[in-house]
Amino acid sequence: MYLVTSAAAAEPTTGVAGWAAHLVDVFGGPGAGLAIALENLFPPLPSEVILPMTGFAAGRGVISLFSALLWTTLGSVVGAAALYGIGRAVGRERMFALWARLPLVKVSDLERTEVWFRRHGTKAVLLGRMVPIFRSLISVPAGLERMRLPVFLSLTAVGSLGWNSVLVLAGYWLGERWDLVETYVGVVSKVVLVAAVTAVAAYVVVRLRGRGRGRGQGQGRHRDREHERERRARAERAR
């Protein structure tokens, strides 16, 4: 079973697209599932390339559309379960101990995040599966907070099926122009990444300013104490 076309854009032989196409050609649906499982474990592997490529293969008859959706969703669940297991193995106590050693952060920040996840964790896991970059990372806090495994797997399966269906069907319908999906979804991924980096940078700036103000206030209190001691000493000498 091999993917054969005459159009260069339709027959990737290099990069992630070529790798994904080879897996699908050789292993069929399980090959697509393996590619997506690895994409979950290593977010730099772009699902916006692998999934449309799988849809294109389904359009060519290399695999069925049902097989494409089934195996890519199963691969998503397997990859997410591995990250969940890592988070669960690290555990809450180790995470707090590690967090306490990091510069520019407070344990209270992690505690607030923990409270937020307990309240909104199910929505975060479900909707997070449809957000580039975070679709992989959301599995780790779910493991840290020991979300019930059946709940986590169910939410991951539903969210992944939604994301995978959109990209696989786009590749299926676009045919040899499947690579257009990467262009548009890639823009969304970059926007999400820039937003995340900006949020982290803002957090660091706020922490540095707070630390500077705290240091200044401490120095001011120290000067006040010195002035008070000098005033008392002068009063004693005047007696």
Side-chain angles (χ1 to χ4, degrees):
M1 178 164 52
Y2 292 96
L3 186 64
V4 179
T5 75
S6 58
E11 188 183 1
T13 56
T14 60
V16 174
W19 168 73
H22 178 71
L23 285 177
V24 174
D25 283 346
V26 174
F27 300 108
L34 174 61
I36 288 299
L38 293 174
E39 177 266 333
N40 275 263
L41 290 170
F42 305 102
L45 288 174
S47 62
E48 61 265 28
V49 172
I50 299 171
L51 291 170
M53 183 66 246
T54 302
F56 172 69
R60 297 286 301 175
V62 177
I63 57 176
S64 69
L65 185 57
F66 175 79
S67 178
L69 294 174
L70 172 66
W71 283 102
T72 55
T73 299
L74 181 60
S76 296
V77 172
V78 169
L83 291 176
Y84 171 93
I86 291 172
R88 187 158 183 146
V90 170
R92 183 178 182 274
E93 283 117 17
R94 283 186 193 146
M95 186 62 184
F96 269 85
L98 174 62
W99 189 268
R101 295 192 187 100
L102 296 176
L104 303 177
V105 298
K106 294 181 179 179
V107 173
S108 59
D109 294 331
L110 187 57
E111 289 172 343
R112 281 194 294 270
T113 302
E114 185 178 46
V115 170
W116 181 90
F117 193 87
R118 284 175 181 168
R119 289 178 181 170
H120 308 288
T122 53
K123 289 180 284 188
V125 171
L126 177 63
L127 300 178
R129 296 300 307 173
M130 305 177 199
V131 179
I133 299 173
F134 291 104
R135 62 190 304 272
S136 295
L137 301 180
I138 194 62
S139 302
V140 177
L144 284 170
E145 289 301 317
R146 294 181 177 270
M147 176 182 281
R148 290 177 54 227
L149 187 58
V151 173
F152 172 77
L153 294 178
S154 299
L155 293 170
T156 298
V158 172
S160 298
L161 179 60
W163 173 262
N164 294 355
S165 296
V166 170
L167 298 191
V168 168
L169 289 173
Y172 182 83
W173 287 324
L174 286 170
E176 294 182 358
R177 300 172 64 204
W178 65 268
D179 53 330
L180 289 176
V181 179
E182 178 189 2
T183 302
Y184 291 106
V185 178
V187 171
V188 177
S189 298
K190 289 181 177 66
V191 169
V192 171
L193 181 59
V194 169
V197 171
T198 302
V200 171
Y203 176 87
V204 171
V205 169
V206 169
R207 279 286 175 260
L208 288 173
R209 285 181 177 174
R211 185 176 281 188
R213 280 196 298 269
R215 190 179 297 114
Q217 290 170 356
Q219 291 172 348
R221 285 192 294 269
H222 177 72
R223 285 194 297 268
D224 291 342
R225 285 194 294 269
E226 289 294 324
H227 291 157
E228 180 63 20
R229 278 196 292 268
E230 290 174 6
R231 187 187 66 78
R232 289 179 180 176
R234 285 196 299 269
E236 288 292 330
R237 287 195 295 270
R239 291 176 189 172

